[in-house]
Every structure is written in structure tokens, then in C-alpha cells.
Amino acid sequence: MPSLPIVEEIEDAKARQSAGTGLAAGTMGGVELMAQSTAGIAPSAVMVSGATLVAASAGPGTLYSYAVSLGVLLLVGWCVAKVARLRPGEDLLSHITAAFGRAVGFVGSMGLAFGYLLIAVGCVAQFAQYTKPLFGVAPPVSAGAPGTSFGFTFVIEVVCVAAASVMMIRGVRVSAWTGVVLEVLSIGAILLVLTLALVRHGLSAAPLLATGITPGQVVAGMVLAILGFVGFESAACLSVEAKDPQRTIPRAVFGSALLAGALYLCSSYAQVVSFGGADKLSADATPLNTLADGIGQHWLALVIDLGAVASNFACVTGSLTAASRVLHSMGESRLVHAKIGSAHPKRRTPHIAILLLSATALAVAVGMALSGVNELDVYSYSGTLGTFGYMMAYILMGLGAPVLLRKLAPQAGVALAAAVGGAVAICLAYVFYRNVYPVPEWPTSLMPWLFVGVLLAASAWYVAGPARRRGEPRPARALVESAG
């Protein structure tokens, strides 16, 4: 029988849902939540370009960067799952707020929403990158090269964001299922290319050996390796819309992370082996296309481009869907303008938040393209900066898990939660530190400080706005959070 604190939490969650959030409560099953997390990760998009970006930083430690990142994020998933079972129907904002108060909850949620937004920006750019060759406009360019065909890029990015916005407003189940179908088709084509490439080049143990690999290389590659996983927790942002959230959310979080990890390890291994080393892999902007052409199957290169287009579109919808739920929750809690917390009366989706985020993502992607930054660099820069936002939210979840367990269910293993959460915080804080010192090359060296600036701006916003409204009447959701 559940303990008294757990019973109180369940009753609080039911009271909040009955009070009405405007969203379609209890409509998404476990498979649909898994689809949402998978779409948020967009594993096939990462398989197309992620290994070459990680290899540029990690070199021969590419596989180790992915393996260590998977291990750390599974610990994050454990913290999310543990808290989700104790606080059903609550999202990440509510968990962080209940553990540390409204101020930390606000800054943490802004970091998470910032991360979702920038991942969407990178995927909008990659949508254009892989659409261009299909129309014969321009081939994808390597990192550091100037962007091309701005007019076509602008049109394609507008079409991508507009279509994603319509789909997200129509309903979360529509966007989730669309995303997972596109991912399955794309992953199938990629695995076929990788299998044929390995058949041609043979297997090798070299990428698995630690010889010549330094810890610094592994950590250097971890920011972009973690980028490949971020979004795996996005199912937790849909806790209001989830059926049986105590069971379905932990399964979706763990399942999507394990699936992505297995795909990335297999993909990066096959690419390193087929290219004859990480150095050659890092020099190719479109490694899977090169492998398809190398085995005499150019038609598979076209299929991969189509798959990359589909996967990046799925990631735009998945990332902005999760971000819109974060902003919706913040609007309900009066942490941002209450209008952002409103939902469409018919579709029951946070349409104001969706439109605001979509317009911002499009403006940033188009602005970077206009300044001459090519799509691969847009993905790398925005992904690196956005990953810091995720990492901060993950650190807060790791540190907050033992705090919440101590409040709600002291008998549920607070010591273990403290050990796991502490390990998460230490690992991710060290990854952030290694991206500050030694000072990396420009413009990567600017990314951590840009993120610090975002946090300072969020803190100033909170002091100027939500902190001054503490005495105002608060809606049911905020009251539940403060009770936690």
C-alpha cells in the first residue's frame, strides 16, 4: 500500500487535472510517449551527421564518448523515473520547483526550454541541408565552409517550421506518430547502408580499443555525444497528457535512451571502420552518402537524404512539442505571461507557446543562414549551446531526486538516489568545465559564456517579474507545486 505522502501526491495530481490545464489529460499511452521521446531524440538525424561531429572532437575516442554519455544519461533517466513514480501527472518544471523552489524551477525550466528550442533550430537547418541535394540546388558543405543558396534555404526552412507548427497545434498524438513512422523508415535505410559498408570493409577491433585514447578526448566529444540523446526525457514533459504516468513515463524515458544508444554505438563503429579511422570520418560532411556511393548504391544515398529530411522534421516537432509544454507549465504557474499557459479550446494544445517557439526557431535559423553560416555549422553551434541547457536541467533533476524522495518517501532509498544524483551532477559539471578549460577554438569557446549569459538574463527576468508576483493568487497547478 502506498505511503501517506505518495497518496497525497496522487490526490494532488488528480486535483490538478480536475481543475483543468487546458490540455488533453490522460490521452497518450506508453507507445505514444515512447514515440514522442524518440521523435525528440531523432536518432536517424544523429546517425547521419552526429558521428562526424563527435569524431572531430573525440578522435579515436568517439565510441567511448557515446558509451560514457549513454551511461550518464541512463542515470538521469533513473532520477526522472524515480520522481515520476512518486509525483504522477507532474512535469520537470514541477519536480524542480518542488525540490528547490520557484526561483530555481524558473531558471532550470528556462534552460530546458532553451535547449529544446536550439535543438529545433539545428534540425531546421539540417532539414534544409538535406533537402537541397534532392532538388539539385547545392550539395551539403563541410564544417567551416560558407553557406550557399540562401533563397532556397529560406523557403525550405519556412515550409518546415510552418508544417511542423500546424501538426503540433492539431494534436500531440498526430505529431508523435508522424515522427516515429518517419524515424523507422529512415533508420532502416541507414542500417542497410552501414551493413553493406561493413560487409565490404570487414570488421575491426581498433575502434573498441582504448590504445592512444585520452580522457580529455572522450570528455571533449561528450557535449556533442550528449546532444544525440537530448530529448529522451521529453515524455516527462507530457505527464499531464500521459495515461498511467507512473508506469509509462519511466518506460518511455529508459526505452528511448537505450534505443538511441544502441543505434549510435553501432553507427559510429561502422562509420569509423568503413572510413579507416576517426580522422577521415571527421573530414566528411555526409559520411553515409559517401559510404552509399562507395558501395555502388547511389540510390541509397538519396534514400538517406530523404530519411535525414524526415528525421529532422520529426525532431523539430518533437523538440518544440516538449518546449511548448515547458512554457505552458510556466505560464500556468505565472512564471511567464499567463497567456502562454493557455491552450487551444478545440485541439487542447498549447498553441500560443507553439507559435512563439516556432517563430523564434525560424528567426534564428534564417538569421544564421543569412549571415553565411552553413547548415552543418548551425546544427553544431546551436546543438552545443542547447546541450548546456539540457545538462543544467539534468543536473537539477539529479540533485533534486534525493530531496524529493526525502520529502515524499524516505523509505524509498534516499541514499541511493543521492549517490546517483551526485554522480550525474559531478559528471555533467565536469563536461561543462572541460568545455571552458582548456579554452577551445573559436567560436566553440564562446558557447559556455553565451549560456551563462542566458542564465543571468533568466535570473534577472525572474527578479523583475515572477518574484514580485508571489503574493498574487495562483492557479491550481502552482498551488500543487508549492504543496509538494
Side-chain angles (χ1 to χ4, degrees):
M1 181 176 179
S3 66
L4 180 59
I6 299 176
V7 172
E8 290 174 349
E9 283 295 312
I10 294 173
E11 293 302 318
D12 282 343
K14 290 179 179 178
R16 177 172 63 80
Q17 290 192 8
S18 64
T21 63
L23 301 179
T27 57
M28 296 188 69
V31 175
E32 290 161 327
L33 289 171
M34 179 73 174
Q36 163 60 30
S37 281
T38 303
I41 297 173
S44 60
V46 178
M47 293 167 73
V48 168
S49 59
T52 188
L53 293 174
V54 174
S57 300
T62 297
L63 266 72
Y64 285 86
S65 291
Y66 274 118
V68 176
S69 297
L70 173 60
V72 173
L73 293 180
L74 285 177
L75 295 181
V76 175
W78 185 89
C79 294
V80 173
K82 196 74 173 177
V83 174
R85 291 190 179 100
L86 294 175
R87 307 185 77 240
E90 299 292 343
D91 54 22
L92 293 182
L93 166 60
S94 175
H95 297 325
I96 295 173
T97 301
F100 301 111
R102 282 167 59 83
V104 177
F106 174 79
V107 176
S109 298
M110 287 296 290
L112 186 60
F114 181 73
Y116 284 128
L117 175 64
L118 287 188
I119 297 303
V121 169
C123 289
V124 169
Q126 284 222 308
F127 181 91
Q129 175 184 358
Y130 286 96
T131 300
K132 287 180 181 181
L134 298 176
F135 286 87
V137 175
V141 292
S142 300
T148 58
S149 308
F150 171 74
F152 190 81
T153 299
F154 174 77
V155 172
I156 291 300
E157 290 183 348
V158 169
V159 170
C160 172
V161 175
S165 300
V166 171
M167 187 171 295
M168 288 184 289
I169 291 174
R170 284 183 60 85
V172 64
R173 298 178 71 187
V174 174
S175 60
W177 274 113
T178 301
V180 78
V181 169
L182 295 176
E183 281 297 320
V184 168
L185 295 175
S186 182
I187 290 171
I190 291 171
L191 291 178
L192 177 59
V193 170
L194 294 176
T195 300
L196 293 175
L198 283 177
V199 169
R200 177 173 179 175
H201 295 93
L203 300 177
S204 171
L208 305 176
L209 302 177
T211 306
I213 299 174
T214 66
Q217 289 176 314
V218 175
V219 174
M222 280 185 65
V223 169
L224 287 172
I226 290 173
L227 168 61
F229 291 93
V230 293
F232 81 104
E233 79 301 323
S234 61
C237 295
L238 277 69
S239 58
V240 172
E241 292 146 296
K243 297 177 183 177
D244 191 10
Q246 289 175 294
R247 181 175 59 88
T248 55
I249 287 178
R251 288 183 179 181
V253 169
F254 274 112
S256 58
L258 288 171
L259 173 63
L263 290 172
Y264 298 160
L265 290 172
C266 292
S267 175
S268 56
Y269 169 81
Q271 291 180 60
V272 169
V273 169
S274 299
F275 273 87
D279 292 339
K280 294 181 180 179
L281 170 62
S282 64
D284 197 311
T286 55
L288 292 180
N289 298 60
T290 301
L291 292 180
D293 289 336
I295 58 178
Q297 302 294 333
H298 180 67
W299 66 274
L300 278 175
L302 296 177
V303 172
I304 288 173
D305 285 341
L306 281 171
V309 169
S311 181
N312 280 288
F313 181 79
C315 189
V316 172
T317 61
S319 298
L320 294 184
T321 292
S324 68
R325 269 55 182 184
V326 175
L327 285 189
H328 177 270
S329 179
M330 295 174 73
E332 285 192 320
S333 298
R334 304 290 178 86
L335 292 172
V336 294
H337 196 285
K339 191 70 174 177
I340 297 177
S342 62
H344 194 283
K346 181 180 178 181
R347 300 295 181 183
R348 303 179 73 184
T349 52
H351 60 301
I352 302 296
I354 289 172
L355 292 174
L356 177 63
L357 290 164
S358 298
T360 304
L362 178 62
V364 174
V366 169
M368 294 182 76
L370 184 61
S371 65
V373 181
N374 74 61
E375 293 88 352
L376 184 62
D377 284 334
V378 172
Y379 179 80
S380 177
Y381 299 156
S382 64
T384 299
L385 188 55
T387 300
F388 292 137
Y390 286 98
M391 287 167 57
M392 187 191 68
Y394 295 161
I395 289 173
L396 290 175
M397 276 302 305
L399 295 177
V403 175
L404 291 175
L405 260 67
R406 189 168 181 268
K407 289 181 180 180
L408 302 175
Q411 77 286 359
V414 176
L416 177 60
V420 173
V424 167
I426 291 171
C427 290
L428 293 181
Y430 182 69
V431 171
F432 185 86
Y433 165 75
R434 292 292 299 189
N435 280 269
V436 176
Y437 183 83
V439 179
E441 296 181 0
W442 174 270
T444 306
S445 59
L446 183 63
M447 301 300 173
W449 305 113
L450 284 175
F451 178 66
V452 171
V454 170
L455 293 186
L456 292 176
S459 301
W461 173 271
Y462 178 81
V463 172
R468 295 186 310 179
R469 296 197 293 268
R470 287 174 182 166
E472 295 181 5
R474 288 157 59 192
R477 181 183 183 84
L479 292 174
V480 171
E481 289 169 358
S482 63

